[in-house]
Amino acid sequence: MSKISDFLEKIHSAAPTPLGFGADRSDKSPGLGLFASLNKPTKQKLSTLSNNVDAIIFSEKPDNNLVKDIAIPWMCSGTDSEDSVSSLVEIGCDSIHCDLSAAVSAIANDDISVFLSVPVESDWNQLMILNTLPVDGYIINPKDLSSISLKKLSEIGSITRSTDKYCLLSINQSPKASELEALRKVGVMGLIINGDEVSTPDIKKLKTNLTDMPNPNHKRKQRPQVKSVFEIEE
């Protein structure tokens, strides 16, 4: 299992946070993972992102000098052949991102995880077939997610709830806390931001919000029962 898949599996499992004054909370998984896509990587940008996101997604094969010292796992888009995938693995690539045009032989590599681009408009029959493909996860690409309506949430959920694969969602602005919780409840496990455009303060704020999300297994406070007005007091 790749590092990215292993990380997403921990989010999926959502182990409860340790309790007690002496408990170590440093291992607490965030509510959702945070990924940054990059078209124009630089050493400075990678250094900044490495301290604020969980993984990086390159749009094409990066220069070895840029990635040799990256402390977090990274993914690369585009797979032309088995040789191209092997060359990515040699320089530390953890996972690959592809579309339906990718050759099965190219992605059949046990050393990496494979994430497939899935359009949010996919119908149920398509999703049933996609779920049988030899990939580890989906990257869902809505056309516009400036605000999350119930309709868009249901479209995203129709994909996430049709599969047991890891599902990442591309976003163009940071969701509100209530929207983050709604996305998690429909099955999203990670968010992808545009690392070329989103400012560092905004990335840090989003990362904090994701880390501070309550554990999904937390118990609800018991609400006091209201007696009926028709009950007779003794």
Side-chain angles (χ1 to χ4, degrees):
M1 181 180 288
S2 73
K3 292 180 180 178
I4 290 177
S5 289
D6 185 55
F7 168 71
L8 293 173
E9 182 61 30
K10 289 179 181 178
I11 290 179
H12 174 65
S13 301
T17 305
L19 300 176
F21 292 108
D24 181 8
R25 286 172 168 75
S26 60
D27 292 333
K28 177 183 180 293
S29 296
L32 297 171
L34 183 58
F35 297 69
S37 63
L38 278 180
N39 291 320
K40 303 173 182 178
T42 63
K43 275 191 173 293
Q44 182 177 359
K45 174 66 73 172
L46 289 174
S47 176
T48 300
L49 288 174
S50 294
N51 294 320
N52 296 289
V53 300
D54 300 302
I56 293 172
I57 303 175
F58 294 103
S59 60
E60 59 184 21
K61 182 180 178 180
D63 187 278
N64 187 32
N65 291 326
L66 284 176
V67 297
K68 64 180 181 179
D69 297 322
I70 292 183
I72 59 174
W74 55 275
M75 183 188 307
C76 189
S77 301
T79 52
D80 300 322
S81 64
E82 294 178 63
D83 290 339
S84 66
V85 173
S86 296
S87 66
L88 286 170
V89 173
E90 288 175 0
I91 62 173
C93 182
D94 180 86
S95 303
I96 55 175
H97 169 212
C98 65
D99 57 25
L100 288 172
S101 66
V104 173
S105 59
I107 64 174
N109 189 313
D110 293 335
D111 295 323
I112 56 173
S113 290
V114 180
F115 288 79
L116 175 69
S117 274
V118 178
V120 77
E121 301 84 6
S122 301
D123 62 36
W124 185 253
N125 289 329
Q126 288 176 309
L127 293 173
M128 293 294 287
I129 298 300
L130 291 178
N131 193 44
T132 66
L133 299 181
V135 299
D136 301 281
Y138 294 158
I139 291 181
I140 305 169
N141 299 295
K143 290 182 178 178
D144 178 28
L145 207 61
S146 55
S147 63
I148 301 177
S149 64
L150 290 177
K151 182 177 185 298
K152 289 180 180 178
L153 194 63
S154 67
E155 290 173 343
I156 295 167
S158 68
I159 298 174
T160 59
R161 292 305 184 185
S162 70
T163 184
D164 57 357
K165 303 181 189 298
Y166 307 118
C167 293
L168 307 179
L169 177 70
S170 295
I171 59 173
N172 47 23
Q173 71 177 41
S174 297
K176 300 175 182 177
S178 57
E179 294 173 329
L180 291 175
E181 186 59 41
L183 289 172
R184 177 167 66 175
K185 284 183 177 179
V186 299
V188 172
M189 296 182 195
L191 303 177
I192 302 174
I193 58 171
N194 188 327
D196 294 307
E197 297 180 359
V198 181
S199 68
T200 299
D202 286 343
I203 294 174
K204 288 183 176 180
K205 182 179 179 180
L206 177 56
K207 179 61 177 175
T208 299
N209 290 342
L210 295 176
T211 302
D212 290 345
M213 290 179 71
N215 191 285
N217 296 327
H218 72 286
K219 295 181 179 179
R220 293 183 179 179
K221 293 182 179 179
Q222 189 171 2
R223 299 176 63 183
Q225 293 184 347
V226 179
K227 291 185 177 181
S228 167
V229 294
F230 297 104
E231 286 188 41
I232 300 176
E233 293 187 3
E234 296 182 357

